[in-house]
Amino acid sequence: LVKHWRVNREEKYEIVEKWFLKDLEMIDGKEADTDNPYFDMHFHKVYNMEAYSCASKYTFARTLSNLNAKYLKKDLKIVNFDDTYLNDDSIWSSSNRDCLVVMRICFYASNLLCLSLCPLS
């Protein structure tokens, strides 16, 4: 857990608390169908967290999942996250997942805009 604050133009960071991945029991994204940066991490007690953005929350969850799969191979529960953005085998997957998601959303939005401007005959 990192505390962040600003002093004039300088940004300061302080490590407040550390946990081991092996002690993590569950990550709860709270609401899979809304765009929010809040989630809970369940260790011996529940910690309420806030990420910088929803995209960074998903990136964090993907990273923990990948680290768990690579090193621990234990059953890590990740609940209330949209599986489409968590799985490596999804259509949104790439090495730069978040940029690719934004590009595809923009592409679909521009197609909808073009279709809405076409006159109906």
Side-chain angles (χ1 to χ4, degrees):
L1 180 62
V2 177
K3 182 179 177 183
H4 169 255
W5 70 95
R6 274 194 183 153
V7 178
N8 296 327
R9 292 186 177 208
E10 277 187 55
E11 294 194 36
K12 304 278 185 177
Y13 298 92
E14 177 185 346
I15 297 174
V16 178
E17 197 161 349
K18 297 178 187 180
W19 302 281
F20 289 107
L21 180 58
K22 68 179 183 173
D23 297 333
L24 181 61
E25 298 165 4
M26 181 174 73
I27 305 171
D28 183 358
K30 295 193 176 185
E31 299 172 15
D33 55 348
T34 60
D35 188 19
N36 71 51
Y38 303 101
F39 62 100
D40 292 336
M41 293 178 65
H42 295 246
F43 290 95
H44 58 281
K45 73 178 215 179
V46 178
Y47 293 91
N48 300 65
M49 305 294 212
E50 179 182 1
Y52 181 74
S53 65
C54 187
S56 61
K57 174 176 87 170
Y58 274 86
T59 301
F60 181 69
R62 277 193 304 270
T63 302
L64 288 180
S65 177
N66 290 339
L67 286 171
N68 178 61
K70 185 173 184 177
Y71 296 108
L72 297 178
K73 297 175 180 63
K74 74 172 195 166
D75 183 30
L76 177 61
K77 293 181 204 159
I78 300 178
V79 297
N80 295 320
F81 280 86
D82 188 340
D83 289 335
T84 305
Y85 302 109
L86 283 180
N87 297 328
D88 286 333
D89 58 350
S90 70
I91 61 168
W92 303 100
S93 177
S94 79
S95 60
N96 57 349
R97 288 176 189 87
D98 297 327
C99 293
L100 185 62
V101 169
V102 171
M103 280 180 18
R104 288 191 184 199
I105 290 171
C106 290
F107 174 74
Y108 292 133
S110 65
N111 283 344
L112 286 172
L113 179 64
C114 289
L115 287 173
S116 67
L117 296 175
C118 291
L120 296 174
S121 42

